[in-house]
Amino acid sequence: MTIVETPTSTVPLGGPSLPQERRLVTSIPGPKSQALQARKAQAVSAGVGVTLPVYIVAAGGGVLVDVDGNSLIDLGSGIAVTGVGNSAPQVVEAVAAQLAQFTHTCFTVAPYDSYIEVAETLNRLTPGDHAKRSALFNSGAEAVENAVKIARHYTGKQAVVAFDHAYHGRTTLTMGLTAKNQPYKNGFGPFAAELYRAPMSYPYRDGGLDGVVAAKRAISQIEKQIGAENLAAVIIEPIQGEGGFIVPAPGFLPTLVDWCRANKVVFIADEVQTGFARTGDMFASDHEGIVPDLMVMAKGIAGGLPLSAVTGRAEIMDSPQVGGIGGTYGGNPLACAAALATMAAYESENLVARAREIGAILTGRLNAIRTADKRVGDVRGRGAMIAVELVDAATGEPDAALTGRVVAAAHAQGVILLTCGTYGNVIRFLPPLSIPDGLLIEGLQVVQAALAAA
Ligand code: PLZ
């Protein structure tokens, strides 16, 4: 098999000075992790699952170090969060300085300037040069909820459309927007009213349907089943995350945006997973030049501290009554300090370019594997957000069992690897942008060997 060699570039960001190596000193999980997992079962709700029960004591660059002394290669970034790396020095310094000043006032009680500076930065970084406003929250789901509230208030309409394979969160409103039943929705209904679903553009599974045609199919369904006059917002991930790293065909997103604009429907881009350099642009919306009315962000925004945001057109964001939008912790000062340092790092360290380099390494090697192994049906994504869809080589049917075996084998070899996809047959690569090339390539070699043996 041909292996595409890529020149080694420097690691852009530090973190704790941990040896950047895969080092296994016990089986995975080791005895101390197993003991903690037993304690977890006695203390933590069984509904809170764990992908890989290795209990972490330190992390930085491209590794996570566990309680047994194993050093694992991180190909997940805590689900696309630690783009700048774990405990990146700039973030640590900024948060430590804030920690010594004050920890909380509640911005809606007694405000502070870092919240404003985060809003100014988001207004500048997000697509479009129109007047914008931002509001800060804690989690991705909470920001999605608020984007929907704001869109409803502004339009005076109620219906919201999400797409097949969508993921927008686990709260009552966002569960209704999320497509997949297991494990996210099963038994947790009833769901919120006035939420509808439209067909997605999924090139690998819709016969390569043209993006504009796929958008017109969705629009036709929306017009027939809901009516633009009832529709407050369309919400979509520009590249779907949990649903399987589905990149819609070119033209799909711009056609939807145009239709929304012509019909007084708020177009909401959920960039919770795709945002902040992850896809090789600052936002995935930048790739096709779409300008969302509202954008929802979280994950990569603050180097691992809990923060989320809604940014959008001033006239929409200013619609709610004073006091209509808020929360105790939203835009907490520690999270704002972290966000300012994190967003500065994306720009100063040119992490957009770094994400593209990582993408070239990932797609080069994964496409080489696909050429030789028909069970790799598709390699897709952008930048440092790349996935493979595993299928039965004979039938092309999704192969979740194979996916499970590959991921389990990679875990046993000390590589943190995540799955996704409606059919459970997608392996996703979301390395921290601070991972050294050598470690990324070693991680890929482990996955390749796991696939060969599975
Ligand atoms: N929108 C696009 O990807 C979170 C889910 C992890 P929260 N995705 C990871 C899990 O199993 O719960 C996500 C997302 C998109 C919204 C969310 C929700 O973000 O911060 O998890 O609420």
Side-chain angles (χ1 to χ4, degrees):
M1 176 174 310
T2 353
I3 292 295
V4 186
E5 289 303 335
T6 321
T8 303
S9 68
T10 53
V11 186
L13 292 156
S17 48
L18 299 170
Q20 292 299 301
E21 62 182 17
R22 181 170 62 108
R23 184 182 68 240
L24 298 185
V25 297
T26 69
S27 59
I28 301 289
K32 290 179 180 163
S33 279
Q34 285 181 35
L36 283 163
Q37 186 68 359
R39 263 173 69 195
K40 172 194 175 273
Q42 294 305 312
V44 180
S45 162
V48 180
V50 166
T51 300
L52 174 57
V54 289
Y55 283 77
I56 302 306
V57 294
V63 298
L64 298 169
V65 176
D66 77 9
V67 67
D68 290 290
N70 300 297
S71 174
L72 299 101
I73 299 178
D74 180 13
L75 297 185
S77 305
I79 324 189
V81 170
T82 52
V84 292
N86 254 289
S87 300
Q90 309 91 313
V91 176
V92 171
E93 202 183 311
V95 175
Q98 178 58 47
L99 194 51
Q101 294 302 312
F102 64 96
T103 50
H104 176 82
T105 61
C106 187
F107 185 79
T108 61
V109 173
Y112 36 87
D113 64 356
S114 57
Y115 187 116
I116 301 171
E117 197 177 338
V118 170
E120 289 167 345
T121 308
L122 293 171
N123 296 349
R124 176 172 62 79
L125 289 179
T126 50
D129 47 18
H130 49 279
K132 293 179 209 156
R133 304 278 189 268
S134 292
L136 305 183
F137 306 98
N138 301 287
S139 68
E142 191 190 1
V144 169
E145 294 244 359
N146 278 280
V148 169
K149 283 166 65 174
I150 294 166
R152 284 177 170 163
H153 197 282
Y154 173 72
T155 58
K157 301 189 274 184
Q158 293 186 352
V160 179
V161 162
F163 286 81
D164 286 333
H165 314 288
Y167 185 94
H168 298 291
R170 296 175 181 266
T171 59
T172 298
L173 179 83
T174 59
M175 262 192 300
L177 297 171
T178 292
K180 196 174 175 181
N181 177 46
Q182 284 284 9
Y184 306 123
K185 302 165 76 165
N186 192 50
F188 298 140
F191 306 113
E194 287 305 315
L195 307 180
Y196 299 87
R197 198 164 304 288
M200 181 62 186
S201 163
Y202 187 166
Y204 179 64
R205 294 207 168 270
D206 64 15
L209 190 63
D210 175 82
V212 175
V213 175
K216 286 184 172 157
R217 176 180 67 175
I219 289 164
S220 163
Q221 182 169 317
I222 292 167
E223 286 176 337
K224 288 192 182 67
Q225 297 184 8
I226 308 157
E229 61 274 33
N230 298 308
L231 186 58
V234 165
I235 182 164
I236 190 164
E237 303 149 83
I239 298 176
Q240 289 183 320
E242 306 302 308
F245 284 23
I246 300 165
V247 186
F252 184 74
L253 295 171
T255 305
L256 287 176
V257 171
D258 290 348
W259 180 84
C260 285
R261 209 134 292 157
N263 288 278
K264 297 192 168 51
V265 173
V266 176
F267 181 91
I268 306 173
D270 179 344
E271 292 242 18
V272 167
Q273 193 153 160
T274 49
F276 299 103
R278 175 55 55 186
T279 63
D281 283 298
M282 191 55 82
F283 295 100
S285 294
D286 295 330
H287 184 78
E288 278 195 272
I290 60 165
V291 179
D293 299 312
L294 299 182
M295 188 179 276
V296 181
M297 295 155 283
K299 292 189 186 284
I301 193 173
L305 273 82
L307 186 74
S308 64
V310 181
T311 296
R313 294 183 189 281
E315 67 272 22
I316 303 176
M317 293 295 293
D318 283 341
S319 168
Q321 62 278 12
V322 173
I325 297 297
T328 306
Y329 291 114
N332 168 273
L334 299 172
C336 284
L340 291 173
T342 300
M343 292 190 289
Y346 286 121
E347 293 192 281
S348 66
E349 309 292 330
N350 198 1
L351 293 183
V352 162
R354 177 62 187 147
R356 290 185 184 197
E357 284 174 12
I358 288 173
I361 294 172
L362 286 169
T363 50
R365 285 166 182 267
L366 293 169
N367 274 316
I369 297 171
R370 182 177 60 90
T371 307
D373 188 338
K374 296 294 165 233
R375 298 174 302 168
V376 179
D378 196 22
V379 176
R380 60 176 179 252
R382 277 194 200 115
M385 182 175 181
I386 302 293
V388 293
E389 179 157 352
L390 299 184
V391 297
D392 182 300
T395 64
E397 288 299 308
D399 197 340
L402 170 65
T403 308
R405 290 197 300 277
V406 173
V407 169
H411 288 172
Q413 290 301 314
V415 176
I416 310 253
L417 197 60
L418 304 176
T419 60
C420 61
T422 298
Y423 314 107
N425 68 323
V426 179
I427 294 177
R428 56 173 148 175
F429 298 87
L430 286 168
L433 306 178
S434 54
I435 195 171
D437 284 359
L439 216 50
L440 175 63
I441 291 166
E442 186 179 337
L444 276 168
Q445 285 164 343
V446 168
V447 176
Q448 183 172 5
L451 180 64

